Amino acid sequence: MSDAIKNGFQAAPLDRRNQRNQRVFRLLFLTMTVILIVPVVVILALLTIKGAPALSWGFFTESPKNGLTEGGIFPALVGTLWLVAVALVASVPLGVAAAIYLSEYAKDNLLTRLINLAIINLAGVPSIVHALFGLGAFVLFFKFGTSILAASLTLAIMTLPVVIVSTREALQSVPQSFRLACWSLGATRWQTIRKVVLPNSISGILTGVILEVSRTVGETAPIMFTGAVFFLPFLPQSVMDQTMAMSLHLYNVATQVPDIPEALPFGVALSLILMVLLLNSVSIAFRVHLRRVKKW
Amino acid sequence: MVSKDRIKLEVKDLEIRYGSHVALQGATLNIRENEIFGIIGPANSGKTSFLRAINRMDEMTSGMRVKGTLEFNGKDVSQWRNLYALRSRIGVVFPLPVGLPMSVYDNVAFAAKLRGVKGKANLDEVVERCLTRAALWDEVKDRLDSLGSLLSGGQQQRLTIARALSQDPELLLLDEFSIAVDPVTTMRIEEVLKDLKKEMTIVLVTNLVQQARRLADRTALFLAGEVVEVGKTKRLFGGAATDQRTTDYIEGRFG
Ligand SMILES: Nc1ncnc2c1ncn2[C@@H]1O[C@H](COP(=O)(O)OP(=O)(O)O)[C@@H](O)[C@H]1O
Ligand SMILES: [Mg+2]
């Protein structure tokens, strides 16, 4: 290779500085990412190491015994599934319908903007406030008592903004040109929504539901006053029953019960995380499936 | 040729606004049955807005207001109670092809299904007929189940024409259909249009002055929200335009 060509390829001083900058920023962002991931890994590792000894088949299928110091988590597990399921049934149809209205029907006027603002603010209300609201509204005013129904409705109200916001974003990610083309063919708004908008935003909508599920499983404050209890030797039979729940159970075994084997709270925590991961992966698998058949 | 002189669309003193911005003003013209009516003019002249007013898209466009007379078959479009019925009689082709996110087959069968056509045999017939008319059948007949968006740009634009035809429209609105289409496909579509005008009225908004010359029976020049001149294409292009701006635009002196 001749010198001229070699020199031609040699970086000018400015180029070299840019390259150095690029390396520096790359390293910076990499470090940030690692800093972000480390706690997650540490938490999972710690929980697994400390909690794994407590896990056994019996741990998942038995009731707690001796003032929660022995036995398993079965009633709490079932109770959380109840709470999540009822909360989903209440909040998903409502949230999705509200999002469809706001994104597909509502005119862009002051009222709509106010509603949107209210929803965003609602998402920022602390869960303990929702808890007190649930207590006042569902337990006392509607006289549901402390029950799965009251607790789930509290959870539903708390997560409704999440569902609405994420659903609306999913709907708005569908290109406007599809709607225009569809309307031009003489389709009504609803036909357009059903045939074109919803099928192409369903995976985004599910993302919102996934978020809601994970949040619902972990919430403690909203269910503490409204339906979840310290200990119940039997499973709930209907939505009017009280129930144990994983999150509250963890709080109890970690802080309220003296002389507890160290592995037990970690076992409960690990199970709670596993439960969230399991529920999420079901939804994610469904989503991946839908995304594979995505049409544009 | 009695039908040649029947008026399909009568426009009187039409005004279109977006908020306080006037997009079209004082537009007065007639569009006759079974003619190709060309609309030329530079960008932002109000051509697309005019098409939107015809199929009442103002109802779906925030801020858009339409005033004046716009009669379709002698009945003002603002009087239509059932806008979906109105729109289903008007086919629209957009500048960039919009393949709905579904298969080639479903793209064409969609409007038919909306109209309540049932049964696979009937739908098959609609799909084949419309794709054939849009000069696309031979290219896609073996891949009807693949996604419409996987076709080439030119094929997609013919797909949208087939989709518009599946409505059995009385009026076909084309908005700069050749913007994203190769010259060969453009010529094929132009042949299709010449053939289609036997059955329907066509409004052809075009960015190509020569396309209007080739296809349109009559042509209108829109300029900055004003209808400058309407006349027989032959006359306008034959150097007999009454307005100097028309001659200038046709000869490419501005715009
Ligand atoms: N949805 C809209 N909202 C606000 N203004 C618009 C909208 N559509 C078009 N306009 C304005 O109306 C005028 C005419 O636009 P348009 O009808 O698209 O012209 P053309 O199709 O001739 O390019 C332009 O000034 C444009 O900015
Ligand atoms: Mg335009």
Side-chain angles (χ1 to χ4, degrees), chain A residues 68-113:
Chain A
L68 304 197
T69 57
E70 286 171 36
I73 55 168
F74 184 57
L77 209 64
V78 173
T80 290
L81 287 177
W82 268 94
L83 289 169
V84 171
V86 176
L88 280 180
V89 167
S91 67
V92 171
L94 202 64
V96 170
I100 289 178
Y101 173 76
L102 287 171
S103 144
E104 307 293 320
Y105 287 93
K107 293 228 159 70
D108 182 24
N109 55 23
L110 190 67
L111 182 68
T112 313
R113 272 181 234 161

Short mmCIF file of all heavy atoms in Angstrom, two decimals, chain A residues 68-113:
data_model
loop_
_atom_site.label_atom_id
_atom_site.label_comp_id
_atom_site.label_asym_id
_atom_site.label_seq_id
_atom_site.Cartn_x
_atom_site.Cartn_y
_atom_site.Cartn_z
N LEU A 68 -47.80 -18.38 61.97
CA LEU A 68 -47.07 -18.08 60.72
C LEU A 68 -45.60 -18.50 60.76
O LEU A 68 -44.87 -18.27 59.80
CB LEU A 68 -47.12 -16.59 60.35
CG LEU A 68 -48.46 -15.89 60.19
CD1 LEU A 68 -48.27 -14.58 59.43
CD2 LEU A 68 -49.50 -16.73 59.51
N THR A 69 -45.11 -19.09 61.88
CA THR A 69 -43.68 -19.40 61.93
C THR A 69 -43.33 -20.69 61.22
O THR A 69 -42.17 -20.99 61.00
CB THR A 69 -43.19 -19.51 63.39
OG1 THR A 69 -43.99 -20.50 64.05
CG2 THR A 69 -43.31 -18.17 64.09
N GLU A 70 -44.33 -21.47 60.86
CA GLU A 70 -44.07 -22.72 60.15
C GLU A 70 -45.10 -22.86 59.03
O GLU A 70 -46.00 -22.06 58.88
CB GLU A 70 -44.19 -23.93 61.09
CG GLU A 70 -43.05 -24.08 62.06
CD GLU A 70 -43.36 -25.16 63.09
OE1 GLU A 70 -44.00 -26.17 62.72
OE2 GLU A 70 -42.99 -24.97 64.26
N GLY A 71 -44.96 -23.94 58.26
CA GLY A 71 -45.94 -24.25 57.23
C GLY A 71 -45.72 -23.46 55.95
O GLY A 71 -44.64 -22.88 55.73
N GLY A 72 -46.76 -23.44 55.09
CA GLY A 72 -46.57 -22.89 53.74
C GLY A 72 -47.35 -21.61 53.49
O GLY A 72 -47.69 -20.88 54.42
N ILE A 73 -47.61 -21.36 52.23
CA ILE A 73 -48.22 -20.09 51.82
C ILE A 73 -49.48 -20.29 50.98
O ILE A 73 -49.97 -19.35 50.35
CB ILE A 73 -47.22 -19.27 51.00
CG1 ILE A 73 -46.70 -20.08 49.82
CG2 ILE A 73 -46.07 -18.78 51.86
CD1 ILE A 73 -45.95 -19.29 48.80
N PHE A 74 -50.00 -21.52 50.97
CA PHE A 74 -51.07 -21.84 50.04
C PHE A 74 -52.24 -20.84 50.06
O PHE A 74 -52.64 -20.32 49.01
CB PHE A 74 -51.56 -23.27 50.29
CG PHE A 74 -52.60 -23.73 49.30
CD1 PHE A 74 -52.34 -23.72 47.95
CD2 PHE A 74 -53.84 -24.16 49.74
CE1 PHE A 74 -53.29 -24.13 47.03
CE2 PHE A 74 -54.81 -24.58 48.83
CZ PHE A 74 -54.53 -24.56 47.48
N PRO A 75 -52.80 -20.51 51.23
CA PRO A 75 -53.96 -19.59 51.21
C PRO A 75 -53.61 -18.20 50.68
O PRO A 75 -54.45 -17.56 50.03
CB PRO A 75 -54.37 -19.49 52.69
CG PRO A 75 -53.62 -20.55 53.38
CD PRO A 75 -52.42 -20.91 52.58
N ALA A 76 -52.37 -17.77 50.94
CA ALA A 76 -51.96 -16.45 50.44
C ALA A 76 -51.84 -16.47 48.93
O ALA A 76 -52.23 -15.53 48.23
CB ALA A 76 -50.64 -16.04 51.08
N LEU A 77 -51.30 -17.57 48.43
CA LEU A 77 -51.13 -17.74 46.99
C LEU A 77 -52.49 -17.68 46.29
O LEU A 77 -52.70 -16.90 45.34
CB LEU A 77 -50.47 -19.10 46.74
CG LEU A 77 -49.61 -19.30 45.53
CD1 LEU A 77 -48.39 -18.40 45.60
CD2 LEU A 77 -49.18 -20.75 45.44
N VAL A 78 -53.41 -18.49 46.80
CA VAL A 78 -54.75 -18.53 46.21
C VAL A 78 -55.43 -17.17 46.34
O VAL A 78 -56.06 -16.67 45.40
CB VAL A 78 -55.59 -19.64 46.87
CG1 VAL A 78 -57.03 -19.58 46.38
CG2 VAL A 78 -54.98 -21.00 46.59
N GLY A 79 -55.26 -16.55 47.52
CA GLY A 79 -55.89 -15.26 47.76
C GLY A 79 -55.41 -14.20 46.78
O GLY A 79 -56.21 -13.44 46.22
N THR A 80 -54.10 -14.18 46.51
CA THR A 80 -53.57 -13.19 45.57
C THR A 80 -54.12 -13.43 44.17
O THR A 80 -54.47 -12.49 43.45
CB THR A 80 -52.03 -13.23 45.57
OG1 THR A 80 -51.58 -12.71 46.81
CG2 THR A 80 -51.45 -12.41 44.45
N LEU A 81 -54.24 -14.71 43.78
CA LEU A 81 -54.82 -15.00 42.47
C LEU A 81 -56.25 -14.46 42.39
O LEU A 81 -56.64 -13.86 41.38
CB LEU A 81 -54.79 -16.51 42.19
CG LEU A 81 -53.41 -17.09 41.89
CD1 LEU A 81 -53.47 -18.59 41.71
CD2 LEU A 81 -52.81 -16.43 40.65
N TRP A 82 -57.02 -14.66 43.45
CA TRP A 82 -58.38 -14.11 43.51
C TRP A 82 -58.36 -12.60 43.31
O TRP A 82 -59.09 -12.06 42.47
CB TRP A 82 -59.01 -14.39 44.89
CG TRP A 82 -59.80 -15.65 44.99
CD1 TRP A 82 -59.34 -16.85 45.42
CD2 TRP A 82 -61.19 -15.82 44.71
NE1 TRP A 82 -60.35 -17.77 45.42
CE2 TRP A 82 -61.51 -17.17 45.00
CE3 TRP A 82 -62.21 -14.97 44.26
CZ2 TRP A 82 -62.79 -17.69 44.83
CZ3 TRP A 82 -63.49 -15.49 44.10
CH2 TRP A 82 -63.76 -16.84 44.38
N LEU A 83 -57.51 -11.95 44.13
CA LEU A 83 -57.48 -10.49 44.10
C LEU A 83 -57.12 -9.97 42.71
O LEU A 83 -57.74 -9.06 42.19
CB LEU A 83 -56.48 -9.96 45.13
CG LEU A 83 -56.89 -10.13 46.59
CD1 LEU A 83 -55.71 -9.81 47.52
CD2 LEU A 83 -58.07 -9.22 46.91
N VAL A 84 -56.10 -10.59 42.12
CA VAL A 84 -55.65 -10.15 40.80
C VAL A 84 -56.74 -10.38 39.77
O VAL A 84 -57.06 -9.49 38.96
CB VAL A 84 -54.36 -10.88 40.39
CG1 VAL A 84 -54.03 -10.59 38.94
CG2 VAL A 84 -53.21 -10.47 41.29
N ALA A 85 -57.34 -11.57 39.82
CA ALA A 85 -58.35 -11.91 38.81
C ALA A 85 -59.53 -10.96 38.89
O ALA A 85 -59.97 -10.40 37.86
CB ALA A 85 -58.80 -13.36 39.00
N VAL A 86 -60.05 -10.74 40.09
CA VAL A 86 -61.22 -9.87 40.21
C VAL A 86 -60.87 -8.44 39.83
O VAL A 86 -61.64 -7.75 39.16
CB VAL A 86 -61.80 -9.94 41.64
CG1 VAL A 86 -62.97 -8.96 41.80
CG2 VAL A 86 -62.26 -11.36 41.95
N ALA A 87 -59.65 -8.00 40.22
CA ALA A 87 -59.25 -6.64 39.86
C ALA A 87 -59.15 -6.49 38.34
O ALA A 87 -59.56 -5.48 37.78
CB ALA A 87 -57.91 -6.29 40.52
N LEU A 88 -58.62 -7.52 37.68
CA LEU A 88 -58.51 -7.46 36.22
C LEU A 88 -59.88 -7.40 35.57
O LEU A 88 -60.12 -6.60 34.66
CB LEU A 88 -57.77 -8.70 35.68
CG LEU A 88 -56.25 -8.70 35.76
CD1 LEU A 88 -55.70 -9.99 35.20
CD2 LEU A 88 -55.68 -7.52 35.00
N VAL A 89 -60.78 -8.25 36.05
CA VAL A 89 -62.13 -8.28 35.48
C VAL A 89 -62.78 -6.91 35.60
O VAL A 89 -63.50 -6.45 34.72
CB VAL A 89 -62.98 -9.36 36.18
CG1 VAL A 89 -64.45 -9.19 35.85
CG2 VAL A 89 -62.49 -10.74 35.78
N ALA A 90 -62.49 -6.23 36.72
CA ALA A 90 -63.11 -4.92 36.93
C ALA A 90 -62.42 -3.83 36.11
O ALA A 90 -63.08 -2.96 35.56
CB ALA A 90 -63.09 -4.55 38.41
N SER A 91 -61.09 -3.87 36.04
CA SER A 91 -60.41 -2.69 35.49
C SER A 91 -60.12 -2.78 34.00
O SER A 91 -60.12 -1.75 33.32
CB SER A 91 -59.10 -2.44 36.23
OG SER A 91 -58.19 -3.49 35.98
N VAL A 92 -59.90 -3.98 33.47
CA VAL A 92 -59.51 -4.05 32.06
C VAL A 92 -60.64 -3.61 31.12
O VAL A 92 -60.43 -2.73 30.28
CB VAL A 92 -58.96 -5.44 31.69
CG1 VAL A 92 -58.78 -5.57 30.19
CG2 VAL A 92 -57.63 -5.65 32.39
N PRO A 93 -61.85 -4.16 31.26
CA PRO A 93 -62.91 -3.70 30.34
C PRO A 93 -63.17 -2.20 30.47
O PRO A 93 -63.28 -1.48 29.46
CB PRO A 93 -64.14 -4.50 30.79
CG PRO A 93 -63.62 -5.63 31.57
CD PRO A 93 -62.33 -5.18 32.19
N LEU A 94 -63.21 -1.73 31.71
CA LEU A 94 -63.46 -0.32 31.95
C LEU A 94 -62.35 0.55 31.37
O LEU A 94 -62.60 1.53 30.67
CB LEU A 94 -63.58 -0.10 33.46
CG LEU A 94 -64.34 1.13 33.91
CD1 LEU A 94 -65.79 1.02 33.49
CD2 LEU A 94 -64.23 1.29 35.42
N GLY A 95 -61.11 0.16 31.67
CA GLY A 95 -59.96 0.94 31.22
C GLY A 95 -59.84 0.95 29.72
O GLY A 95 -59.61 2.01 29.11
N VAL A 96 -60.02 -0.21 29.10
CA VAL A 96 -59.90 -0.28 27.65
C VAL A 96 -61.02 0.53 26.99
O VAL A 96 -60.78 1.27 26.03
CB VAL A 96 -59.91 -1.76 27.17
CG1 VAL A 96 -60.01 -1.83 25.66
CG2 VAL A 96 -58.65 -2.46 27.64
N ALA A 97 -62.23 0.41 27.54
CA ALA A 97 -63.34 1.17 26.97
C ALA A 97 -63.09 2.67 27.08
O ALA A 97 -63.31 3.42 26.12
CB ALA A 97 -64.65 0.80 27.68
N ALA A 98 -62.61 3.10 28.24
CA ALA A 98 -62.33 4.52 28.43
C ALA A 98 -61.25 4.98 27.45
O ALA A 98 -61.37 6.05 26.84
CB ALA A 98 -61.89 4.79 29.87
N ALA A 99 -60.23 4.16 27.28
CA ALA A 99 -59.14 4.53 26.37
C ALA A 99 -59.65 4.61 24.94
O ALA A 99 -59.29 5.52 24.19
CB ALA A 99 -57.99 3.53 26.48
N ILE A 100 -60.50 3.66 24.55
CA ILE A 100 -61.05 3.69 23.20
C ILE A 100 -61.86 4.97 23.00
O ILE A 100 -61.74 5.66 22.00
CB ILE A 100 -61.94 2.45 22.93
CG1 ILE A 100 -61.06 1.20 22.81
CG2 ILE A 100 -62.76 2.63 21.65
CD1 ILE A 100 -61.82 -0.07 22.59
N TYR A 101 -62.67 5.30 24.02
CA TYR A 101 -63.44 6.53 23.89
C TYR A 101 -62.52 7.74 23.72
O TYR A 101 -62.68 8.53 22.80
CB TYR A 101 -64.36 6.73 25.10
CG TYR A 101 -65.03 8.08 25.04
CD1 TYR A 101 -66.09 8.28 24.16
CD2 TYR A 101 -64.56 9.15 25.78
CE1 TYR A 101 -66.67 9.52 24.04
CE2 TYR A 101 -65.14 10.40 25.66
CZ TYR A 101 -66.19 10.58 24.79
OH TYR A 101 -66.75 11.82 24.66
N LEU A 102 -61.53 7.84 24.61
CA LEU A 102 -60.67 9.02 24.59
C LEU A 102 -59.87 9.13 23.30
O LEU A 102 -59.66 10.21 22.77
CB LEU A 102 -59.72 9.00 25.79
CG LEU A 102 -60.38 9.29 27.12
CD1 LEU A 102 -59.41 9.03 28.26
CD2 LEU A 102 -60.87 10.73 27.15
N SER A 103 -59.42 7.96 22.79
CA SER A 103 -58.54 8.03 21.64
C SER A 103 -59.30 8.02 20.31
O SER A 103 -58.86 8.64 19.35
CB SER A 103 -57.53 6.88 21.72
OG SER A 103 -57.23 6.38 20.46
N GLU A 104 -60.43 7.34 20.25
CA GLU A 104 -61.09 7.15 18.96
C GLU A 104 -62.36 8.00 18.78
O GLU A 104 -62.77 8.25 17.66
CB GLU A 104 -61.45 5.68 18.75
CG GLU A 104 -60.28 4.71 18.93
CD GLU A 104 -59.23 4.88 17.85
OE1 GLU A 104 -59.60 5.09 16.68
OE2 GLU A 104 -58.03 4.85 18.19
N TYR A 105 -62.99 8.38 19.86
CA TYR A 105 -64.26 9.09 19.71
C TYR A 105 -64.19 10.54 20.16
O TYR A 105 -64.72 11.42 19.50
CB TYR A 105 -65.37 8.39 20.52
CG TYR A 105 -65.83 7.09 19.93
CD1 TYR A 105 -65.27 5.88 20.32
CD2 TYR A 105 -66.85 7.05 18.97
CE1 TYR A 105 -65.68 4.68 19.77
CE2 TYR A 105 -67.28 5.85 18.43
CZ TYR A 105 -66.69 4.67 18.84
OH TYR A 105 -67.12 3.50 18.30
N ALA A 106 -63.53 10.78 21.30
CA ALA A 106 -63.59 12.11 21.90
C ALA A 106 -62.96 13.15 20.98
O ALA A 106 -61.93 12.92 20.38
CB ALA A 106 -62.88 12.10 23.25
N LYS A 107 -63.61 14.28 20.88
CA LYS A 107 -63.02 15.41 20.14
C LYS A 107 -61.90 15.99 20.98
O LYS A 107 -61.95 15.94 22.20
CB LYS A 107 -64.10 16.47 19.89
CG LYS A 107 -65.19 15.99 18.95
CD LYS A 107 -65.45 17.04 17.87
CE LYS A 107 -66.12 16.44 16.65
NZ LYS A 107 -67.52 16.04 16.93
N ASP A 108 -60.92 16.56 20.32
CA ASP A 108 -59.80 17.14 21.06
C ASP A 108 -60.20 18.51 21.57
O ASP A 108 -59.92 19.53 20.97
CB ASP A 108 -58.58 17.24 20.13
CG ASP A 108 -57.38 17.80 20.86
OD1 ASP A 108 -57.35 17.68 22.11
OD2 ASP A 108 -56.49 18.36 20.21
N ASN A 109 -60.92 18.54 22.71
CA ASN A 109 -61.33 19.83 23.26
C ASN A 109 -60.89 19.95 24.71
O ASN A 109 -60.20 19.09 25.24
CB ASN A 109 -62.85 20.01 23.13
CG ASN A 109 -63.59 18.86 23.78
OD1 ASN A 109 -63.06 18.18 24.64
ND2 ASN A 109 -64.82 18.64 23.34
N LEU A 110 -61.31 21.01 25.35
CA LEU A 110 -60.84 21.30 26.70
C LEU A 110 -61.22 20.17 27.66
O LEU A 110 -60.40 19.73 28.47
CB LEU A 110 -61.45 22.63 27.17
CG LEU A 110 -60.86 23.16 28.48
CD1 LEU A 110 -59.40 23.55 28.26
CD2 LEU A 110 -61.66 24.35 28.98
N LEU A 111 -62.46 19.68 27.54
CA LEU A 111 -62.92 18.63 28.44
C LEU A 111 -62.04 17.40 28.32
O LEU A 111 -61.58 16.82 29.32
CB LEU A 111 -64.38 18.29 28.12
CG LEU A 111 -64.98 17.23 29.03
CD1 LEU A 111 -65.13 17.77 30.44
CD2 LEU A 111 -66.33 16.75 28.50
N THR A 112 -61.79 16.98 27.08
CA THR A 112 -60.96 15.80 26.86
C THR A 112 -59.58 16.00 27.47
O THR A 112 -59.02 15.10 28.10
CB THR A 112 -60.81 15.54 25.35
OG1 THR A 112 -62.09 15.61 24.76
CG2 THR A 112 -60.21 14.18 25.10
N ARG A 113 -59.03 17.20 27.27
CA ARG A 113 -57.70 17.45 27.82
C ARG A 113 -57.72 17.41 29.34
O ARG A 113 -56.80 16.91 29.97
CB ARG A 113 -57.18 18.79 27.32
CG ARG A 113 -56.45 18.61 26.00
CD ARG A 113 -55.90 19.91 25.48
NE ARG A 113 -56.37 20.10 24.13
CZ ARG A 113 -56.39 21.27 23.51
NH1 ARG A 113 -55.97 22.35 24.13
NH2 ARG A 113 -56.81 21.35 22.27
#
